[in-house]
């Protein structure tokens, strides 16, 4: 969709003051007692900020649904040079607090029980109090990567010991202007996903870190979240193989004045070209702060199943990058920095450096695999715009298909919110073709070509013939996604010769869209 980044202050802003200290974040880890399944251990880490370099005597209380877990615990807080201090607790949940495990939608008991965890910080010599409350769920999650026939590895999630086939979609920002997004709209989209029996959504790395509302609803609805970090589709090599971040110059006033006089329109690029993400110290520090903040903000949500470092950057490197310096930069950012921060900061769920990737196998190729979409390992992104879409044999048999899909036109009502009746024609008008964002492919020809494999195309005409084209494109899309999804749902066995198959996840691209245009989206 269009790129309209919001400018200025668009979230709530306030001034905060405190004398002693304030709780900034709460992180948790839940584990069942191996001897008593209904008993759980809860690890709590309270991240505290203080402006004092003098140790502070503090009192910490922790409750679960209002029932005490830790009462009047005295602790001396000694901050690091940045004023940060962490208070850690490992608590066995008492027998008088019964725990119901959290499960994804449709799995096992299908329970999404949430509990209110409060950490309260006070001081013996002050009336000052700081408290934070989080809704948490009790569950364990594991990414199982075990050897398979054909020199492969499984790739599936296990929740509370139950293997889970991840079925769902990919989520993009629900509004290009995030300040206009409402809780009701986000709820409607997520409830729709649950109603369609989905149990996982992948938050795509080309969008935004979603709101607390989004993750809270995912917790409630039992929708696991594959969480990309917000890095996507970059690391293009320079044409001359140079390691640069700025290309040429903005032209002079004379240049633009002459263009005005001579009637020469200018396509004005900004002076950034052919570069990967930088790895200068200032940028890496910004990344470190960003990742640390997001991990601490989101870690307590039981719905988050996995962290992924980026969307498709390892795949871009494999396809286009030969300069070893670019690969070293990639590893500096996504392995040395991001992977270290995530795995040190959150031991309760897995991390992969990229999506797609070969999972554990990636380490053998120093995280820049020649083929990061190897069907024997990890997750795969699959798009096919050339073959007949209703033939299951044209689709790859991977372990976990985290992107796949097909284009169609949206409804006529949707089109008419953006274009006049005069653009509703077949063959398609310039206005319709302009809204097709398929990159290297001609999206109009893709839609018409694939539909033409199965249907006679409409006769030339106006709005009625365009409506016919819309209908045919949507049937083609629906049958294509149905065919591919059914392959993945039944393809549980691994071919011992190739190592292909053993699929345990299918997330089609994409659940939602943000503007009226040809789209992969179902909503």
């Amino acid at each position: 969709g269009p790129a309209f980044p919001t400018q200025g202050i668009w979230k709530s802003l306030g001034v905060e003051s405190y004398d002693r200290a304030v709780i900034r974040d709460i992180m948790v880890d839940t584990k069942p007692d191996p001897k008593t399944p209904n008993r759980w251990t809860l690890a709590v880490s309270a991240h505290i900020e203080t402006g004092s370099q003098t140790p502070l005597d503090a009192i910490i209380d922790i409750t679960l649904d209002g029932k005490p877990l830790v009462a009047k615990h005295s602790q001396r807080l000694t901050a690091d040079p940045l004023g940060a201090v962490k208070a850690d607790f490992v608590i066995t949940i008492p027998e008088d607090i019964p725990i119901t495990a959290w499960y994804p939608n449709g799995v096992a008991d299908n329970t999404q029980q949430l509990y209110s965890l409060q950490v309260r910080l006070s001081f013996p010599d002050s009336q000052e109090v700081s408290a934070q409350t989080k809704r948490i769920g009790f569950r364990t999650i594991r990414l199982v990567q075990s050897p398979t026939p054909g020199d492969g590895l499984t790739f599936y999630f296990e929740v509370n010991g139950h293997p889970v086939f991840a079925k769902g979609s990919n989520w993009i920002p629900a509004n290009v202007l995030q300040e206009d997004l409402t809780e009701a709209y986000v709820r409607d989209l997520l409830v729709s996903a649950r109603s369609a029996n989905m149990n996982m959504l992948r938050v795509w790395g080309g969008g935004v870190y979603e709101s607390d509302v989004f993750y809270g609803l995912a917790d409630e609805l039992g929708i696991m979240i594959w969480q990309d970090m917000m890095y996507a589709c970059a690391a293009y090599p320079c044409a001359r193989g140079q390691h640069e971040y700025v290309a040429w110059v903005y032209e002079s006033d004379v240049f633009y004045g002459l263009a005005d006089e001579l009637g020469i329109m200018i396509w004005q690029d900004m002076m950034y070209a052919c570069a990967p993400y930088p790895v200068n110290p200032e940028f890496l520090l910004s990344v470190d702060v960003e990742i640390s903040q997001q991990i601490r903000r989101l870690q307590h949500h039981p719905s988050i199943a996995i962290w992924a470092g980026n969307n498709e950057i390892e795949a871009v490197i494999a396809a286009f990058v030969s300069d070893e310096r670019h690969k070293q930069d990639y590893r500096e950012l996504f392995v040395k920095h991001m992977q270290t921060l995530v795995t040190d900061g959150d031991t309760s769920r897995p991390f992969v450096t990229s999506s797609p990737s070969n999972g554990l196998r990636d380490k053998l190729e120093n995280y820049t695999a020649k083929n990061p979409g190897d069907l024997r390992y990890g997750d795969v992104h699959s798009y096919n715009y050339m073959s007949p879409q209703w033939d299951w044999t044209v689709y790859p048999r991977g372990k976990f298909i985290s992107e796949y899909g097909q284009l169609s036109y949206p409804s006529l009502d949707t089109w008419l919110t953006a274009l006049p009746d005069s653009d509703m024609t077949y063959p398609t008008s310039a206005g319709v073709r302009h809204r097709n964002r398929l990159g290297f492919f001609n999206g109009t020809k893709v839609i018409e070509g694939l539909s033409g494999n199965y249907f006679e195309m409409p006769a030339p005409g106006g709005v009625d013939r365009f409506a016919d084209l819309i209908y045919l494109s949507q049937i083609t899309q629906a049958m294509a996604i149905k065919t591919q999804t059914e392959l993945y749902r039944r393809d549980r066995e691994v071919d011992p010769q190739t190592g292909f198959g053993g699929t345990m996840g299918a997330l089609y691209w994409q659940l939602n869209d943000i503007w009226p245009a040809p789209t992969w989206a179902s909503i």
Side-chain angles (χ1 to χ4, degrees):
F4 296 147
T6 297
Q7 303 294 309
I9 297 169
W10 61 278
K11 289 186 178 181
S12 59
L13 183 67
V15 176
E16 183 181 60
S17 65
Y18 58 89
D19 292 327
R20 300 289 196 281
V22 62
I23 299 173
R24 288 297 181 205
D25 296 290
I26 300 171
M27 301 176 72
V28 300
D29 191 7
T30 58
K31 289 184 170 63
D33 185 325
K35 297 180 181 179
T36 311
N38 293 329
R39 297 287 302 279
W40 287 76
T41 297
L42 170 64
V44 178
S45 294
H47 291 267
I48 299 168
E49 176 186 302
T50 176
S52 173
Q53 288 300 305
T54 303
L56 296 172
D57 291 322
I59 299 169
I60 296 176
D61 293 271
I62 301 176
T63 61
L64 189 70
D65 279 354
K67 298 178 180 179
L69 297 179
V70 173
K72 304 298 182 184
H73 172 79
S74 297
Q75 182 159 338
R76 173 156 284 201
L77 304 179
T78 302
D80 67 17
L82 297 177
V85 59
K86 184 159 67 91
D88 295 317
F89 299 85
V90 177
I91 305 161
T92 299
I93 303 299
E95 291 184 355
D96 63 343
I97 304 179
I99 298 298
T100 300
W102 185 95
Y103 280 98
N105 180 32
V107 176
D109 298 331
N110 197 24
T111 51
Q112 289 84 48
Q113 181 69 46
L114 298 174
Y115 298 84
S116 178
L117 175 72
Q118 184 183 78
V119 180
R120 185 177 185 272
L121 177 67
S122 60
F123 305 91
D125 58 347
S126 170
Q127 297 298 310
E128 185 176 343
V129 172
S130 176
Q132 273 214 18
T133 302
K134 304 290 186 184
R135 291 197 311 167
I136 68 169
F138 285 79
R139 65 101 179 96
T140 60
I141 193 158
R142 192 165 72 96
L143 179 59
V144 181
Q145 299 184 75
S146 302
T148 70
D151 189 33
L153 293 172
T154 62
F155 193 94
Y156 67 89
F157 293 95
E158 190 179 81
V159 179
N160 300 327
H162 291 262
V164 176
F165 188 101
K167 48 185 181 177
S169 188
N170 282 259
W171 172 279
I172 70 165
N175 195 315
V176 71
L177 301 174
Q178 287 285 295
E179 64 274 22
D180 288 345
L181 191 57
T182 65
E183 179 175 345
Y185 186 66
V186 175
R187 178 179 287 276
D188 182 66
L189 288 173
L190 291 179
V191 168
S192 297
R194 178 186 168 94
S195 298
N197 298 312
M198 296 185 191
N199 61 27
M200 178 174 273
L201 291 174
R202 174 173 172 257
V203 176
W204 170 60
V208 298
Y209 297 103
E210 289 295 333
S211 66
D212 294 338
V213 167
F214 172 89
Y215 297 102
L217 287 170
D219 294 341
E220 289 180 19
L221 298 170
I223 299 174
M224 295 185 294
I225 301 299
W226 175 306
Q227 180 65 53
D228 280 4
M229 301 304 174
M230 293 301 115
Y231 300 81
C233 307
Y236 305 107
C238 293
R240 298 176 304 284
Q242 294 179 346
H243 199 64
E244 61 185 35
Y245 303 110
V246 182
W248 304 112
V249 296
Y250 295 100
E251 291 298 332
S252 66
D253 294 339
V254 169
F255 172 89
Y256 297 104
L258 288 170
D260 295 341
E261 290 178 21
L262 300 171
I264 300 173
M265 293 188 294
I266 302 299
W267 176 309
Q268 181 64 56
D269 280 0
M270 298 296 122
M271 293 301 110
Y272 298 86
C274 308
Y277 285 107
V279 291
N280 56 294
E282 295 81 7
F283 182 78
L284 289 175
L285 177 60
S286 172
V287 170
D288 291 349
V289 171
E290 171 189 327
I291 299 303
S292 295
Q293 287 179 344
Q294 294 301 333
I295 292 291
R296 291 182 184 181
R297 178 174 78 96
L298 300 175
Q299 186 273 346
H300 69 278
H301 288 284
S303 57
I304 296 180
I306 185 172
W307 308 106
N310 65 72
N311 172 75
E312 295 184 352
I313 298 181
E314 186 183 357
V316 168
I317 288 175
F320 300 113
V321 173
S322 57
D323 192 328
E324 182 60 29
R325 291 174 298 177
H326 289 306
K327 297 179 182 179
Q328 291 172 356
D329 286 354
Y330 173 85
R331 291 189 286 266
E332 177 74 20
L333 174 54
F334 292 106
V335 181
K336 183 177 178 181
H337 277 257
M338 193 178 295
Q339 180 173 264
T340 300
L341 280 169
V342 175
T343 55
D344 287 352
D346 181 15
T347 60
S348 67
R349 53 178 61 82
F351 173 84
V352 290
T353 51
S354 187
S355 177
S357 80
N358 292 335
L360 286 177
R361 184 79 177 192
D362 244 18
K363 188 175 181 179
L364 297 181
E365 295 187 70
N366 206 9
Y367 299 98
T368 47
K370 292 181 180 178
N371 177 20
D374 193 316
L375 299 180
R376 296 172 295 171
Y377 321 104
D379 68 311
V380 173
H381 293 186
S382 167
Y383 295 95
N384 184 333
Y385 301 120
M386 310 303 292
S387 304
Q389 300 291 290
W390 302 2
D391 177 3
W392 67 268
T393 64
V394 305
Y395 296 117
R397 297 177 54 211
K399 299 294 179 289
F400 194 109
I401 318 300
S402 52
E403 277 192 31
Y404 66 99
Q406 191 50 263
L407 279 168
S408 75
Y409 289 117
S411 70
L412 186 62
D413 288 343
T414 298
W415 276 116
L416 289 173
T417 64
L419 294 177
D421 291 7
S422 58
D423 274 341
M424 304 293 102
T425 64
Y426 182 75
T428 54
S429 67
V432 168
R433 292 194 300 273
H434 177 69
R435 278 162 174 75
N436 202 307
R437 301 293 183 91
L438 190 53
F440 300 114
F441 293 90
N442 182 317
T444 300
K445 289 184 177 179
V446 166
I447 291 174
E448 295 178 11
L450 293 175
S451 298
N453 287 327
Y454 301 100
F455 302 107
E456 182 178 346
M457 301 307 289
V463 64
D464 289 343
R465 300 292 74 80
F466 186 62
D468 291 341
L469 176 64
I470 291 171
Y471 176 75
L472 296 180
S473 77
Q474 292 183 352
I475 293 296
T476 302
Q477 179 194 51
M479 286 298 296
I481 294 177
K482 175 180 182 290
T483 300
Q484 198 166 358
T485 302
E486 288 178 345
L487 165 65
Y488 298 142
R489 289 288 282 151
R490 67 176 178 262
D491 196 21
R492 303 295 181 87
E493 297 297 322
V494 176
D495 185 321
Q497 302 301 317
T498 64
F500 300 166
T503 308
M504 282 293 285
L507 309 178
Y508 73 86
W509 182 270
Q510 63 206 65
L511 179 71
N512 57 312
D513 213 337
I514 57 173
W515 77 320
T519 181
W520 295 261
S522 51
I523 301 177

